[in-house]
Amino acid sequence: MNAAEECFARYGVAKTTVEDIAASAGLSRATVYRSFAGGRDEVILAVVLRDLRRFLDRLSGRLRHERSVPDAIVEGVVDAVAFVRGEPHVAALMAPDAAGHTQAAVIGGAERLLHLCADYVRPYFGAAQRAGTLRADITVEGAVEFLFRIISSMIVMPREDEPREFLRTYVVPALAESS
């Protein structure tokens, strides 16, 4: 995966081949395929999942220290958008002009991405519902998918102004109990 990341930085995600990754890792193409039977798309997804876990580890630490559910929602979305924009190979997957097969790698793994995110936020989500600060009629999976779609939208169509007010006005009320 490290070799794949190096190739993504050198050639771009869309132009990186399994041959490039194998050469960078000092392995044969067959060895890469033994580890990643799905080939290039599976390697891309593995790198994205690894980076997402790193981000979610940082986000979990932040969620423990946020003062309120609205703050956690707003800052979590802002952090996620910044994370994707700051990771060139992840951002390349979200770009409208990305190669179709590159986006297919993430779309094909979208369920895995959503489940991973849901698993990370589940403890905070449950605690907020028990405290009455998060709507009781929503599920963690639905909330994560909703936020995933918001984050994707904000990456593809960046706001010219400060996004926090937009998020507080339109996104927070969809998830948090009004106080």
Side-chain angles (χ1 to χ4, degrees):
M1 289 193 295
N2 291 339
E5 271 190 332
E6 290 171 14
C7 290
F8 296 161
R10 188 177 316 131
Y11 309 119
V13 176
K15 293 183 181 178
T16 296
T17 65
V18 171
E19 290 80 12
D20 297 329
I21 296 166
S24 180
L27 302 170
S28 71
R29 218 177 83 174
T31 301
V32 174
Y33 277 109
R34 275 194 291 278
S35 296
F36 299 95
R40 185 178 167 285
D41 286 352
E42 190 175 328
V43 173
I44 292 168
L45 181 60
V47 170
V48 169
L49 287 169
R50 181 179 71 176
D51 288 346
L52 181 59
R53 282 184 191 92
R54 289 178 186 155
F55 167 74
L56 290 169
D57 285 340
R58 287 193 315 267
L59 180 64
S60 290
R62 184 166 191 171
L63 289 176
R64 283 191 290 275
H65 296 94
E66 283 299 338
R67 294 182 312 265
S68 69
V69 167
D71 288 347
I73 293 168
V74 169
E75 296 308 319
V77 169
V78 169
D79 283 355
V81 171
F83 161 73
V84 172
R85 287 185 182 149
E87 295 290 333
H89 55 278
V90 176
L93 300 176
M94 305 296 288
D97 61 342
H101 59 279
T102 302
Q103 286 185 329
V106 173
I107 291 168
E111 191 169 317
R112 287 175 62 190
L113 294 171
L114 289 172
H115 285 299
L116 178 61
C117 293
D119 288 345
Y120 266 82
V121 301
R122 191 176 314 283
Y124 308 103
F125 188 93
Q129 280 186 321
R130 286 188 299 278
T133 56
L134 196 63
R135 287 183 32 204
D137 63 330
I138 59 175
T139 65
V140 68
E141 289 78 15
V144 166
E145 181 180 348
F146 174 69
L147 290 173
F148 204 79
R149 291 176 184 278
I150 295 296
I151 291 163
S152 298
S153 167
M154 292 180 80
I155 291 163
V156 174
M157 299 181 328
R159 293 192 54 84
E160 296 297 319
D161 60 351
E162 168 58 45
R164 286 175 176 84
E165 189 59 36
F166 173 82
L167 294 168
R168 285 193 185 287
T169 302
Y170 298 103
V171 176
V172 168
L175 301 171
E177 285 293 346
S178 56
S179 38

